Amino acid sequence: MSVTEPGDTLDLTSARPQYDEYEDPEVEWLDEAPAHWETARFRFLLETSPSKTEVRDLPDTTEVSFVPMESVKENGGLDLGETKEIEEVIDGYTYFRDGDVLVAKITPCFENRKGALASDLTNGIGFGTTELHVLRPGPDLDERFLYYVTMSHPFRKIGESTMYGAGGQKRVSNDFVENLRWPVPSPPEQDAIATFLDRETGRIDALIEKKEELIDLLEEKRTALISRVVTKGLDSDVEMQDSGVEWLGEIPAQWKTVRLKHLATAPEDGIQMGPYGSMLKGLESRDTGYKVYGQENIISGEFKAGHRWLSEERFHEMADRYELQPEDLVLTRKGSIGNSRIVPKGIQSGIIDSDTIRLRLRWEKIDRHFLQWLLHEAWYMQTKIALVQRGAVLSGLNTNTIENLIVALPPTDEQEQLVKYLNSEAGRLDEQISTMEEGIDRLKEYRTALISAAVTGKIDVREEVAVAPAE
């Protein structure tokens, strides 16, 4: 079984010492391990799914930490902001306590390394989602070492290969954990490895946090830039006028406000929401040449994505009202509300779905790229969309809401000027954000590779821990 990953190509062994002697650990996923490490099945070193009987005698009002799956962090950790009384959770949730190791069992949480070493639980006790494996190490297994094993690439890759179930309900079994054979050092050496990884992953995580803070600042700067440009223009000395719209405020005197419906080509087809329910039943999974477009295309901007198809007959029945054409502007109306894209040339023939609103506008009155900046990127328009959407959040937008959205519209030649400016300045910020994100990806890759190397004995960190200065 191959358990290689991009991070395995990082040359960690050249920068850190290795053990003097290695031997075959007699596991199919690892070629060699330190000769003095003992390979064992985890069933002999830990307990899985500890019994709730040890806490059933506690008073019903005892406060305990409550951990739904969204509170389990990727790459390790728990958000412990929620508590419940034990009587509320003891019969319907997974039990654990301080010192237990948690591993998400369901896809994609398992592959995304959702898990934690439980600590600082309220009264030392936690209950959480039933989609967690709970591992309680025995006396010969350091809980921190075990936690890092579960965060390693081999553990996750092997577990992924054993998943059972279908689609989004695939899980790793309890048997996988219990029967996994792993080379394990002595408890003092486990402690040294865990101490090393605590220190090094802490440093990496601190760097990642700084980069994420910089990304947040750059994104705030980008949002402010776009919103200023599409509402105030570029000339800070230009004469201003009251827009007559409370949430919009003042706009340049030569601009005007207009509702989107007055920019549409025609009332019957200019702004159109996709077909509902039974109209889209019986779709085909094979490529018929007639596609159904939706959020997956708008959010990603990739109009080749997707696998929903109509027969030629169904397409022609629906095309008059719902066809998507190049240079239409499409918006998401549910979930990620207000995302928008300009439809590129060369798309396959197709229609929009019920989660999509199509705008077919009079482009002689408005530059399509200016409108996209305004709808998709501008803070004020996103805020306005959120204010006017009807019903619950998931009910989404409708055509009436979009038709009556008010936009601030500069003259056509100024629209073109503003688009060029935004393409340049927002594009520059996008490049900086992309560079930061690539740096974070490399740090995460290095973090996983370092953990994997340490818990499989590819590097010897014992002396480094012994001589490391106190922090």
Side-chain angles (χ1 to χ4, degrees):
M1 176 187 300
S2 172
V3 292
T4 58
E5 63 167 337
D8 290 337
T9 63
L10 296 172
D11 188 5
L12 299 178
T13 59
S14 65
R16 300 185 184 277
Q18 296 177 272
Y19 289 89
D20 293 333
E21 187 178 355
Y22 287 83
E23 65 181 18
D24 185 355
E26 298 182 351
V27 292
E28 62 179 0
W29 56 270
L30 186 63
D31 293 333
E32 61 179 16
H36 63 284
W37 290 24
E38 297 289 337
T39 300
R41 293 189 190 277
F42 275 127
R43 67 167 65 243
F44 301 114
L45 299 171
L46 55 79
E47 173 189 2
T48 58
S49 304
S51 174
K52 298 175 184 178
T53 56
E54 58 192 35
V55 294
R56 283 197 179 273
D57 291 337
L58 292 174
D60 288 345
T61 56
T62 301
E63 288 287 312
V64 298
S65 292
F66 181 70
V67 181
M69 184 59 81
E70 56 266 29
S71 295
V72 184
K73 298 180 182 179
E74 294 182 5
N75 292 306
L78 299 174
D79 288 325
L80 295 175
E82 189 173 357
T83 63
K84 291 184 181 292
E85 293 184 353
I86 196 168
E87 66 172 346
E88 299 179 62
V89 294
I90 194 165
D91 290 323
Y93 297 93
T94 299
Y95 159 66
F96 49 90
R97 71 185 187 200
D98 282 343
D100 289 343
V101 174
L102 312 180
V103 179
K105 66 174 74 169
I106 193 168
T107 190
C109 301
F110 180 83
E111 298 94 319
N112 292 339
R113 292 184 170 83
K114 279 204 167 197
L117 173 58
S119 63
D120 299 321
L121 302 173
T122 301
N123 290 311
I125 299 169
F127 283 82
T129 169
T130 57
E131 298 293 353
L132 289 174
H133 286 304
V134 179
L135 317 182
R136 181 167 294 171
D140 295 325
L141 191 58
D142 184 282
E143 66 267 20
R144 294 180 301 149
F145 179 82
L146 174 61
Y147 162 70
Y148 283 118
V149 167
T150 66
M151 285 291 117
S152 71
H153 177 69
F155 181 89
R156 298 286 166 160
K157 192 68 175 178
I158 299 167
E160 185 179 345
S161 72
T162 69
M163 279 183 159
Y164 65 94
Q169 298 301 309
K170 294 179 69 175
R171 294 174 174 85
V172 292
S173 69
N174 199 57
D175 287 343
F176 153 69
V177 177
E178 292 187 334
N179 290 316
L180 181 62
R181 300 179 72 241
W182 199 278
V184 180
S186 66
E189 191 170 347
Q190 294 175 41
D191 178 76
I193 292 169
T195 299
F196 166 79
L197 289 174
D198 284 347
R199 187 188 72 210
E200 294 303 310
T201 59
R203 290 172 175 171
I204 294 168
D205 291 343
L207 288 172
I208 290 173
E209 184 177 356
K210 288 181 180 178
K211 287 182 178 292
E212 288 174 338
E213 289 173 354
L214 285 172
I215 287 174
D216 288 343
L217 291 173
L218 287 170
E219 288 179 339
E220 288 176 8
K221 182 177 181 180
R222 183 182 188 277
T223 298
L225 168 74
I226 296 167
S227 294
R228 174 177 56 80
V229 170
V230 299
T231 57
K232 310 299 180 185
L234 298 178
D235 187 354
S236 59
D237 297 325
V238 70
E239 181 184 352
M240 305 293 285
Q241 64 173 339
D242 184 358
S243 67
V245 181
E246 182 179 356
W247 58 269
L248 184 54
E250 289 190 334
I251 60 174
Q254 73 273 24
W255 292 25
K256 61 181 179 180
T257 57
V258 61
R259 295 185 188 275
L260 279 182
K261 65 182 177 182
H262 298 306
L263 301 174
T265 53
E268 65 273 11
D269 68 357
I271 300 177
Q272 178 63 53
M273 189 166 63
Y276 271 97
S278 59
M279 296 182 69
L280 281 182
K281 284 185 177 179
L283 296 180
E284 302 190 28
S285 58
R286 65 182 180 87
D287 185 346
T288 63
Y290 299 96
K291 195 169 186 176
V292 178
Y293 293 93
Q295 290 202 54
E296 68 272 20
N297 309 109
I298 302 170
I299 294 172
S300 69
E302 179 50 74
F303 283 80
K304 293 181 180 179
H307 54 271
R308 296 177 296 164
W309 308 91
L310 291 166
S311 67
E312 182 177 2
E313 180 182 2
R314 292 283 304 283
F315 169 73
H316 287 299
E317 289 174 356
M318 304 172 76
D320 284 349
R321 188 169 186 182
Y322 302 114
E323 184 179 9
L324 192 65
Q325 297 178 1
E327 300 189 350
D328 285 344
L329 196 145
V330 283
L331 289 86
T332 55
R333 59 169 298 269
K334 289 187 176 180
S336 300
I337 290 174
N339 279 280
S340 67
R341 298 285 177 183
I342 298 170
V343 179
K345 295 180 180 179
I347 65 164
Q348 287 187 281
S349 297
I351 65 169
I352 55 174
D353 69 7
S354 59
D355 292 338
T356 304
I357 294 178
R358 183 201 65 208
L359 283 71
R360 187 166 294 160
L361 306 176
R362 304 177 191 177
W363 299 120
E364 71 275 8
K365 291 191 174 183
I366 186 168
D367 185 296
R368 61 179 62 84
H369 298 285
F370 178 79
L371 185 60
Q372 187 189 12
W373 277 114
L374 190 150
L375 289 175
H376 186 64
E377 306 284 358
W379 172 86
Y380 90 90
M381 184 54 70
Q382 290 290 306
T383 301
K384 182 58 179 174
I385 287 175
L387 286 172
V388 300
Q389 64 175 304
R390 298 185 181 278
V393 171
L394 291 179
S395 69
L397 299 171
N398 56 39
T399 52
N400 183 65
T401 300
I402 294 299
E403 287 173 347
N404 287 294
L405 279 177
I406 297 173
V407 300
L409 201 63
T412 304
D413 57 348
E414 189 174 353
Q415 292 176 37
E416 295 175 358
Q417 179 187 6
L418 298 182
V419 167
K420 290 179 181 178
Y421 179 82
L422 288 172
N423 287 344
S424 173
E425 294 304 305
R428 180 176 56 82
L429 292 172
D430 286 339
E431 289 179 3
Q432 294 178 28
I433 291 170
S434 178
T435 299
M436 290 288 179
E437 290 173 339
E438 289 171 3
I440 288 173
D441 288 342
R442 288 193 296 270
L443 285 169
K444 289 180 177 178
E445 182 181 292
Y446 177 75
R447 186 185 194 274
T448 300
L450 188 65
I451 290 171
S452 301
V455 299
T456 58
K458 289 183 180 180
I459 57 176
D460 183 357
V461 303
R462 294 172 297 178
E463 184 177 348
E464 184 170 348
V465 172
V467 301
E471 296 195 12

